[in-house]
Every structure is written in C-alpha cells, then in structure tokens.
Amino acid sequence: MPDFQSLYAQLFEKLGEIVDIRHTLALMQWDQEVCMPQKGAFARGLQLATLAGLEHRLFTDAEMRSLIDTLRGHTEALSPEQAALVRETAHDLDRGIKIPESLVRLFAEAQSRAYEEWVEARRTSDFRRFQPHLKTMVDLSREKAEFLGYEESPYDALLDEYERGMTATKLRPIFDALAGRQSALVARIAESPYQPDVSWLDQAWNESAQLCFCEEVLRDMGYDFGAGRQDISVHPFTTTFDVQDVRITTRINPRDFLSALSSSIHEGGHALYEQGLPAAFRRTPLADAPSLGLHESQSRFWENIIGRSHPFFRRYLPRLRELFPGQLDEATSTDLYRAANRVAPSLIRVDADECTYNLHVILRFEIETALIEGSIRAEHVPELWNAKMKVYLGVDVPDDAHGCLQDIHWAHGSFGYFPTYALGNLYSAQLTEQARKDIPDFWNTVEKGSFSELLLWLREHVHRHGRMKNSAEIIQDATGSPPSPEPFLRYLEEKYAVLYPAQPQSV
Ligand code: ZN
C-alpha cells in the first residue's frame, strides 16, 4: 500500500513549481502592459511561449499523471481539503490531456492571425476581412468541444471552461427572464420625465487628484497596498502572483472622474477576492476562484452595488470637494448618484449601464451558441447582430466597428466567456440580499466608509473557499438558495424606480 500522504506531499511540491511558472508568466504579462518598452515585444512573445510550453509539459508529464491517477482513487486517505486539491488538479489535467497538442498549436496560430486581422477589420470597420478568421475560430472551437466531450451542446464544453457545470440549456431560461424584464425597465426609464442633467460632469478633473481618490477608496475597501499596487494601463485589469501580491490597473479619463473611480473599484473587487483566497493553498490551483462568474460577482458588488449607491456618494462628496476645489460646490450627492447611474441604451458593451449591460451579453450568447451549434455561419453575424441590437436596445448600428467587431473575445476563440459577465451581476445581487440580512446596518456602514464588515462577510462566504466548492455551491451555502436571476431583477427594478420615477418624487 503506497503512502498516500507522501504522494500528496509530492503532488503539493510539484504543483508549487507549476504555479510559480504560471505566476511568472502573469508577471511578464503585467510588465508587458504596464512598463515594457515597445521594442521589447518581440522577445517577450518568445519568452512567454517558452515558459508556457514548459508549464504545460510539467503539468501533463508522466509523474503528474501517475500521482493524480493514484491519489484520485484514494481520496479517503486524505483530508477534505487535500481531496479537493486532488479533485481540482485532476479536472484541469483531464481537460489539458483531452485536447491533442496539434490542436493546441493550430488554435494558438489561428488565434494570433485572427487577432491581427480583427484589429485591422475593426479599425476599418470591414467585417469581410475578419469573416474567414471567425469561421476558423468557430471550426477549431467546435473541434475542441468534440475532444472535450459534452452531453447536449458543443457550446457546453466551451462554457464549462469559464463557468463549471453551466450549460446553454440552464442559461436560456435565466437569460429569457432577464431580457424580458430588463427591456421593459429600459423602456420605462426612457419615458421618465426625470432624465439627469450630467453636463456638470464634463470638466477638466485633475489626474493626480483622481488617482489619489481612487487609492483612498481602495484603502477604505480593505485592499492591502502592502500586498498589491495600482498602475495605469490601456485596459484595466487585475493580476495575481500570490495572495500577497495582487496588482490592479486603472485608466484615467481627464473629463470624467467617475470613469477611473469605477475601474479602480471594479478591479479592487477582483483584487480583494484574490487577496482573500486560502493562503494555506497558495502555489496550488485551490487558491483560485471556481469560476469567472463568481469572480465577476466580486468586482460588480463593489463597483455597482456599493460604488454606485447613494450612501457611497454621501460619504465621499466632502472629500471630492477637497480634492477638486471649486468644481463640486454646486453638486449634491444626489447629482453624483444620478450621474453614476444614468441609463442610456448604447452600442458598446463596455460602456453600458447596469440596466442594459446584460442585454449586450444575451445578444452575444444567442449568436455564439448558434455559431458553435452550427445553425448560423460567420457571414450571418453582422445582420443578426444589428437586428438583435434593434430588438433588445432599440439602437441602430452604424457600422460593424460599433457592432459585431467591438469585442476581442471571438478573435481569441473565447466562446462561452460572455455569459460569465451576466452571471457575475446575478451572483452579486443574490449575495447582497443575504449580506443585508446578516448586516442590518449595511447601508450605514457604507455611508461611514467603513467596509470591514462587508469584506469580512465576503471573506467568510466566498473568498476563503477558493476552489474547494464550485460557484453554485458557494451561492447556495451563502444564501440558502440556488443561483437565481430574481434578486438581481428586484435590485434593478427597485433602484431605478427611484432614480427614474414616472411621477415627481425625491431621490
Ligand atoms: Zn471584471
């Protein structure tokens, strides 16, 4: 009988080396986005490819396979946490092994060609230039799905990579409920006589004061600057090299201080999750989120539910007046609150407000499932896109750059990624309903800028579990109910009935 504890120790050790390489890759990517001189790109590409190859080889080698094969059959000899680490590693390994290396290479090559063509196609708004590459990415993704295996739809095999256990069949009724009620809400908002005047926002906002304010809010949220830092980048992101080194970036809009604020708070929400992952399992796959949807729930909780609340602006208006002398003397907390929550159906997903955001996701979900299931072809995408934009958002798409070419995901072959954004919204509202029951003083703590109780609640119910449980289990255990769209719809309908009343009333 082998000594399972010593085999487990070997696995733990080996995973540590592999995760070190993954984090080194992340560090090199962070450097590429934040500091690297432009001419470093060529060598950086080679360095990243070399390390990624090394990581893949170590993770799928004979030693790893034999350790996992032995341990997965004897989890009764391990603690529940140890068994979870074996289970999660086995899951990743099975996925890694199922796809032949030839397909991995083909996919990577096609991805980089598709990306280059997408950049040009978007710049010139020329879908036909991207169309053959979209077709290739769809074909390769379908091939990938066949290797991975699925029960109902090949789309499920792809979605599973981002949201374990989720399927197109489970998503459809959720998205139908969202589409119906959110479209109706957007129509009611458009008819409200109370459209906010946000012209006061269009001023020059000192950039270092903006950064300073973002850092103060991050500190108040509980983001540990001793275990992280904030920099500037074109696209804001969060990256992790360890639970004690979680970095974020933001971007500054000199004419709209709310833009950097929401980026910083959003990434700060992701970063708080990463800083709160189980430290005992650092350097292993367990110190990670079980799904992108759950990760996104943390960023959206802080960005939208807290950072776009009225108590939040009541708290921070005096400080904003100090940082931007003379610029906010006339503005009230209500003005800030209404400006941060203005609703306007628009063409671009990343600029969308809370009421319309999911509609952008649902449109993409419907198109990408049809592509992967083979009921439409790449050439049909622009027409379908524009028709759905009209139905869901009532807007006319002027060109493909502002339509089906706006996102990078399909050029990357990331089919199944979009739904996680909407799921993040749903999870965040469901967690909030429960947190408000558990913390009766919820909005008072926000108005005091004292977020430690909220953070502790999230640490206890979400962060500390890492991948010990999947996202549905985490939601169920935290709230007593399975994931549902109802709390999010309730949250939206209540909040926006006050912001956009049909009849005169005070906000
Ligand atoms: Zn995010």
Side-chain angles (χ1 to χ4, degrees), residues 447-507:
E447 188 150 351
K448 286 193 217 123
S450 137
F451 302 112
S452 52
E453 250 186 293
L454 303 192
L455 180 56
L456 267 178
W457 193 92
L458 295 171
R459 289 262 192 269
E460 168 68 20
H461 294 283
V462 181
H463 303 174
R464 72 183 175 93
H465 300 296
R467 281 174 65 180
M468 237 78 86
K469 304 195 261 186
N470 69 30
S471 50
E473 288 166 342
I474 285 178
I475 297 294
Q476 171 78 46
D477 292 351
T479 68
S481 316
S484 150
E486 280 306 315
F488 178 70
L489 288 166
R490 267 198 293 275
Y491 156 76
L492 274 192
E493 286 165 352
E494 282 168 21
K495 176 172 174 179
Y496 287 88
V498 179
L499 278 158
Y500 287 90
Q503 302 297 324
Q505 65 184 86
S506 69
V507 179

Side-chain angles (χ1 to χ4, degrees), residues 269-311:
H270 282 304
L272 287 175
Y273 192 174
E274 295 281 323
Q275 288 183 339
L277 288 165
F281 286 92
R282 69 198 330 168
R283 297 177 80 233
T284 81
L286 274 193
D288 204 348
S291 82
L292 289 186
L294 196 65
H295 221 307
E296 197 65 11
S297 77
Q298 299 303 292
S299 55
R300 307 243 169 184
F301 169 79
W302 290 100
E303 180 196 355
N304 291 334
I305 293 177
I306 303 301
R308 290 197 158 92
S309 69
H310 203 169

Side-chain angles (χ1 to χ4, degrees), residues 408-422:
I408 193 177
H409 303 60
W410 292 340
H412 263 171
S414 301
F415 298 96
Y417 194 116
F418 285 122
T420 66
Y421 295 127

